[in-house]
Amino acid sequence: MSPNSSKKNLSKHTDGKDEYFIARALNLAKKGQGLTSPNPAVGAVVVKNGIIVGEGFHEKAGQPHAEVIALNNAGKDAEGATIYVTLEPCSHFGKTPPCVHKIKESGIKRVVSAIKDPNPLVSGKGLEYLINNGIEVKDGVLSKEANRINEIFFKYITTGMPFITVKEAVTLDGNLGYKTDTEKVYLSSPKSLEYTHYTRFINDAVMISAKTLIKDDSSLDVRINKSNMKEKFLKKRWTKIVLDSYLNTPPSSKIFESHGDVLIFASNDYDKAKVERKKHLEEKGAIITDVYYNIKEGKKLLNLEYVFKKCGELKITGILVEAGPELFSSLIKERFCDKIIFNFTPYFLGRKNGLDLFGRLNLEFKEKINFSGLSIKKIKDDAFLSYYPEFT
């Protein structure tokens, strides 16, 4: 957005409520979701006498922050104005200079932020700098909404572990599809698939098991043409993660043809045949990481804690897991789920032919898991229910 285009589209809000302008900044921040990793998605609005004189959002890591864009758009009108930001302005040098310096130099008299930055390099220090330089500060406006927008960044910056979203498309009777599909069957509507691909887009990676990969042969990419999403996707860092103890991933899989890295986690035991399979996969470009495993019910199950720690070390901040019954059960029982999304589709398949998502999730009575924070998105006869688990 150029300074001139910003001034041409001035909008006025007569009651001057801080919530209104923070809400506008949050909507701007959403435009950067999926593109700013490992940075947060941030929006900023500069307001003078109830009129917006500049605004912007962080578009990509390494590029100017939202505050800088908004202040540049405001120009001299920033003098004596209020800037609304969705996250505490940074006070440290990274790839770009501290935003608090730019705010001070622009003559801003008041800063309203939605939430403090949990990054230890920033947390509280940005607001403290502003206060010490005579700038009025207000914090915590629409903080809950701001937290949701950056839930991936907040977990990663405080723990070094990725935010894990488990997403399942299920029938009303809890089936993922047919047990013996000879070809891929989509239960979700085309519009629902579009939303699923958007959910992929706002993460850094998608994860599946080798069993699911072999069954579906998905390309694990993002296929949305709306809002230049496909073009943006091809410019972002993207990782396709396969949990494959035995390295049974076929070298002919579509994941080797689509955008992004292929990261395969395998068990750390090898025989001659497995060594040969590894060689073929690496020739296709796969990055293979060996993992210790546990044997459960006669199967080698990878150490998920190590898997996710390794992903964090690779600066993969958010992972969307599209799990089959076995992986779903492991993620829930081992508490590796920060958010769960059910795409309920309007079908019954029954137990005879249906692939039951919950069949392997055997919980003891005292293992009951509560969920909270429900949000609902309806797309025709499909419904997306999002929850946050309350693990004890």
Side-chain angles (χ1 to χ4, degrees):
M1 181 191 298
S2 68
N4 289 335
S5 65
S6 176
K7 301 290 174 58
K8 286 179 182 177
N9 295 289
L10 300 181
S11 63
K12 191 164 184 177
H13 187 67
T14 54
D15 63 12
K17 287 185 178 178
D18 291 337
E19 288 80 2
Y20 174 86
F21 294 112
I22 285 291
R24 184 178 179 94
L26 288 169
N27 284 332
L28 288 169
K30 290 176 183 177
K31 293 183 178 182
Q33 283 184 300
L35 297 169
T36 62
S37 179
N39 292 350
V42 182
V45 178
V46 182
V47 178
K48 192 169 187 177
N49 300 322
I51 296 174
I52 294 175
V53 294
E55 57 185 19
F57 66 96
H58 185 40
E59 297 181 14
K60 194 175 182 180
Q63 294 187 7
H65 288 189
E67 300 94 317
V68 173
I69 296 172
L71 290 167
N72 286 342
N73 285 339
K76 293 182 180 179
D77 287 334
E79 181 76 34
T82 297
I83 186 168
Y84 293 85
V85 292
T86 59
L87 187 68
E88 176 185 3
C90 65
S91 57
H92 68 291
F93 283 90
K95 291 183 179 180
T96 58
C99 289
V100 290
H101 293 178
K102 178 73 173 179
I103 291 171
K104 177 189 173 185
E105 293 164 3
S106 299
I108 289 289
K109 72 172 184 180
R110 184 170 181 257
V111 175
V112 179
S113 73
I115 195 168
K116 285 187 174 67
D117 190 336
N119 185 345
L121 294 174
V122 180
S123 189
K125 298 172 186 175
L127 299 181
E128 183 180 359
Y129 174 91
L130 296 170
I131 292 169
N132 290 340
N133 281 275
I135 298 171
E136 182 185 344
V137 167
K138 182 177 179 180
D139 180 49
V141 179
L142 300 184
S143 60
K144 182 178 179 181
E145 291 81 353
N147 182 72
R148 290 287 171 85
I149 287 176
N150 276 312
E151 58 192 8
I152 291 174
F153 169 77
F154 287 172
K155 182 187 178 185
Y156 177 75
I157 202 66
T158 55
T159 68
M161 295 281 279
F163 186 95
I164 303 163
T165 302
V166 179
K167 183 265 172 187
E168 304 291 348
V170 292
T171 61
L172 296 176
D173 57 347
N175 288 304
L176 292 171
Y178 293 102
K179 288 179 182 176
T180 56
D181 290 346
T182 55
E183 60 184 45
K184 188 168 179 63
V185 176
Y186 287 106
L187 296 175
S188 303
S189 68
K191 281 290 183 182
S192 291
L193 285 172
E194 188 175 284
Y195 182 71
T196 293
H197 280 251
Y198 170 75
T199 307
R200 284 184 182 178
F201 178 83
I202 63 175
N203 283 274
D204 293 339
V206 61
M207 174 185 284
I208 61 172
S209 67
K211 188 174 181 180
T212 298
L213 176 68
I214 293 167
K215 183 172 182 284
D216 294 343
D217 193 20
S218 172
S219 57
L220 296 182
D221 58 357
V222 172
R223 299 184 297 277
I224 304 178
N225 293 319
K226 187 171 73 173
S227 303
N228 298 321
M229 193 72 76
K230 190 173 182 180
E231 180 183 338
K232 293 175 183 176
F233 168 68
L234 294 176
K235 294 179 180 179
K236 72 173 278 182
R237 181 193 176 204
W238 180 245
T239 306
K240 295 158 286 187
I241 304 171
V242 184
L243 303 182
D244 186 3
S245 293
Y246 302 95
L247 289 181
N248 288 326
T249 297
S252 60
S253 297
K254 291 178 182 176
I255 54 169
F256 295 111
E257 301 170 9
S258 58
H259 171 65
D261 295 327
V262 176
L263 175 60
I264 300 177
F265 287 97
S267 61
N268 64 341
D269 60 330
Y270 283 82
D271 56 20
K272 187 176 180 180
K274 187 175 175 183
V275 168
E276 191 67 18
R277 292 197 297 273
K278 180 178 182 180
K279 177 185 173 183
H280 291 315
L281 290 171
E282 288 180 332
E283 287 173 351
K284 293 292 291 188
I287 303 164
I288 298 174
T289 299
D290 296 339
V291 184
Y292 288 101
Y293 61 88
N294 300 314
I295 296 179
K296 294 182 180 179
E297 299 177 0
K299 295 181 179 180
K300 295 176 183 176
L301 299 181
L302 300 178
N303 184 319
L304 290 176
E305 183 175 8
Y306 179 87
V307 166
F308 291 121
K309 279 185 176 179
K310 185 64 178 178
C311 289
E313 291 171 6
L314 294 172
K315 294 188 176 180
I316 297 173
T317 65
I319 300 174
L320 180 71
V321 186
E322 299 178 2
E326 192 169 288
L327 178 55
F328 175 78
S329 173
S330 295
L331 291 166
I332 299 301
K333 293 198 74 171
E334 296 183 40
R335 308 315 198 233
F336 290 114
C337 173
D338 297 295
K339 183 177 184 178
I340 192 162
I341 302 174
F342 288 113
N343 171 200
F344 282 105
T345 61
Y347 305 102
F348 280 164
L349 299 183
R351 288 292 173 260
K352 181 179 179 181
N353 297 314
L355 180 61
D356 182 11
L357 172 63
F358 304 99
R360 295 183 181 275
L361 185 60
N362 300 315
L363 297 176
E364 299 297 331
F365 179 76
K366 293 183 179 180
E367 290 183 295
K368 181 184 73 170
I369 300 168
N370 294 332
F371 294 83
S372 61
L374 171 65
S375 62
I376 302 172
K377 183 176 181 66
K378 182 179 179 297
I379 301 177
K380 293 188 175 179
D381 289 326
D382 281 20
F384 286 83
L385 273 62
S386 300
Y387 286 100
Y388 296 88
E390 297 178 347
F391 294 127
T392 55

